[in-house]
Amino acid sequence: MDSCSFFPQDPNPEPVAAVQSNRQYKPDSVDLRDWTTLGVGGPAAKFVKASSEDEIVEAVRAADEAGEPVLMLGGGSNLVVSDEGFSGTVVHDMRSDVKVEHDSGCGGVVIRVSAGMEWDQLVALAVQNDWSGLEALSGIPGTVGAAPVQNIGAYGQEVADTLSAVRVYDRLEGRRRTLFLSDVELGYRTSILKRSTLDPSLSQGRVWGPTGRWIVLAVEFQMTHASLSAPVAYAELARRLDVNIGDRVDQRLVRENVLELRRGKSMLLDDDNRNTYSAGSFFTNPIIPESEAAKLPENAPKFPVRAIAPRGSVPDPNKIQEGVLKTSAAWLINNSGFDRGYKADPESNASLSTAHVLALTNRGGATSAEIAALAATVRDGVFEKWGIELVPEPVRVGWDIPLLA
């Protein structure tokens, strides 16, 4: 027997429970406010619940042939939908499957996960089975299918660190195919999947709308076997764990501390906490020229930026994008006169979170217009103070922030 093919495995690993990932309480509703964590949005013209890959492809193909827009719906955690709703077809992926494709002591584990699976269910399963590399991504709401689109990241980890391939339906070519890691062009909160929503050069001049050219059907991850975490790479997490950057600690301990950090910032879903009625961090951290970063105060956060992996190459966590730095959107907002709980209008039902200024929250009955007004006020205030334009992270359906004056 190959010595790499055997490794000790606890036949009954202690279970790791997943945390809440969505707010889908009304299974018969077609109102998108009932399918998003923000709780805002009108009805869909057509709503398809797909329980197989074939059903997803058939629904998307039919909408494309009819010239109707398509919105793929997972956990609804990154969506802000207009109160007028969506005039096209919403396709909700109901699947939640994991298949182990390869498992060995030397090669680690390769798993294929259906796009509809809740993200934290996957992270909990990985931690339970000592599959290392996802533990710092604990508690992020949404589904697996959205993870490579945004290249989700938190506390020093990104999906780019463990992603190996994405199975997609290519709307332009009308076929299913596999995009390997070197095809996806992952960077900070971006990928070729995300850029295809607005970049016509990726689709022979075509623009697709809220869901882009490639429909994510399944995602493949490659992880190592280890009860220890990947090296801790985020200073706040390292301080909480009382370790140094680069140290490895028990995965379960990392998960517990990440969940507590997120809970303390009201970034874990909690139905009793209105701060969590949000779309997560509303603005991405700006990436600005080094010359502009030098104009910021010394206490303004400034970080190197991982380079986007060009087509044909895999992400290199040690490769830095030259000439630019990343700064903190939260710091910019805090230092532009906006405090936690800020409202653009005292009568508005939308406000900044009372725990974390980066989240725009629905205090109860908020409209998309109120969210838009708050977003525009914050964006404009930061630009007026610092000359830096904040870019919204959530997918905006049926509305957008007006261009800067």
Side-chain angles (χ1 to χ4, degrees):
M1 177 186 290
D2 181 354
S3 61
C4 286
S5 64
F6 174 78
F7 53 92
Q9 175 94 15
D10 183 349
N12 294 298
E14 183 181 347
V16 175
V19 298
Q20 182 180 353
S21 291
N22 61 58
R23 286 200 167 97
Q24 295 165 358
Y25 307 132
K26 299 181 180 179
D28 297 325
S29 176
V30 298
D31 288 329
L32 291 169
R33 66 176 60 89
D34 296 324
W35 294 85
T36 61
T37 55
L38 181 63
V40 170
K46 186 175 183 180
F47 200 109
V48 176
K49 295 179 183 178
S51 56
S52 71
E53 185 177 291
D54 286 345
E55 289 180 3
I56 295 171
V57 171
E58 288 166 7
V60 173
R61 182 181 289 131
D64 286 345
E65 290 174 351
E68 299 169 355
V70 171
L71 175 63
M72 289 300 300
L73 175 67
S77 60
N78 198 46
L79 282 177
V80 185
V81 183
S82 164
D83 294 317
E84 284 69 40
F86 182 62
S87 61
T89 298
V90 170
V91 182
H92 179 52
D93 189 344
M94 304 285 289
R95 302 169 302 146
S96 186
D97 309 303
V98 176
K99 180 182 178 183
V100 176
E101 301 282 358
H102 171 83
D103 196 353
S104 76
C106 288
V109 63
V110 176
I111 59 173
R112 175 175 289 200
V113 189
S114 60
M117 186 174 193
E118 293 182 8
W119 174 256
D120 199 65
Q121 283 188 347
L122 171 62
V123 178
L125 184 67
V127 172
Q128 177 175 313
N129 286 283
D130 289 342
W131 302 336
S132 181
L134 297 180
E135 55 282 344
L137 302 179
S138 293
I140 297 176
T143 55
V144 170
V149 178
Q150 289 285 107
N151 184 25
I152 61 172
Y155 298 105
Q157 282 183 355
E158 292 182 348
V159 159
D161 300 329
T162 51
L163 184 75
S164 59
V166 185
R167 179 170 171 80
V168 298
Y169 171 64
D170 187 331
R171 299 168 71 184
L172 183 66
E173 298 181 359
R175 67 185 179 97
R176 298 174 222 202
R177 54 182 297 203
T178 297
L179 299 178
F180 296 101
L181 178 59
S182 57
D183 298 320
V184 188
E185 299 182 18
L186 295 172
Y188 171 65
R189 301 299 176 271
T190 190
S191 69
I192 196 172
L193 307 168
K194 180 178 178 178
R195 293 195 294 275
S196 74
T197 59
L198 297 173
D199 185 349
S201 70
L202 295 173
S203 302
Q204 298 178 7
R206 184 165 182 175
V207 176
W208 299 96
T211 295
R213 170 179 170 178
W214 293 282
I215 304 294
V216 177
L217 302 171
V219 184
E220 195 169 273
F221 299 89
Q222 182 169 6
M223 293 170 281
T224 57
H225 282 290
S227 60
L228 296 180
S229 68
V232 175
Y234 197 79
E236 183 182 18
L237 179 59
R239 287 194 298 271
R240 187 178 180 91
L241 292 165
D242 194 24
V243 299
N244 296 317
I245 294 289
D247 287 351
R248 301 175 67 197
V249 299
D250 186 276
Q251 280 198 64
R252 294 175 186 241
L253 187 60
V254 169
R255 175 174 169 80
E256 290 168 6
N257 279 269
V258 166
L259 290 178
E260 285 305 309
L261 283 168
R262 294 184 66 86
R263 185 175 289 109
K265 299 173 183 178
S266 291
M267 299 299 272
L268 270 189
L269 295 186
D270 178 351
D271 291 346
D272 296 325
N273 180 355
R274 292 306 304 190
N275 283 330
T276 73
Y277 285 74
S278 77
S281 298
F282 196 88
F283 297 103
T284 56
N285 289 323
I287 295 173
I288 57 178
E290 288 181 343
S291 58
E292 293 301 311
K295 298 176 184 177
L296 293 173
E298 287 188 10
N299 66 331
K302 306 177 186 75
F303 309 100
V305 181
R306 283 175 56 166
I308 294 176
R311 183 72 65 88
S313 65
V314 299
D316 180 352
N318 298 313
K319 188 173 183 180
I320 302 303
Q321 190 172 339
E322 299 292 337
V324 297
L325 290 171
K326 180 169 61 179
T327 189
S328 164
W331 186 93
L332 293 170
I333 294 168
N334 263 320
N335 287 275
S336 298
F338 301 106
D339 295 325
R340 290 176 290 181
Y342 172 85
K343 292 184 176 184
D345 181 328
E347 302 302 317
S348 176
N349 292 312
S351 80
L352 297 183
S353 169
T354 62
H356 191 285
V357 296
L358 200 48
L360 276 61
T361 65
N362 176 359
R363 310 314 296 186
T367 65
S368 60
E370 288 175 323
I371 297 294
L374 178 58
T377 300
V378 171
R379 188 272 317 265
D380 293 352
V382 168
F383 186 79
E384 183 178 351
K385 174 72 174 180
W386 302 107
I388 296 172
E389 182 175 0
L390 296 181
V391 176
E393 184 171 342
V395 176
R396 284 91 63 203
V397 179
W399 73 279
D400 209 344
I401 303 176
L403 295 175
L404 276 168

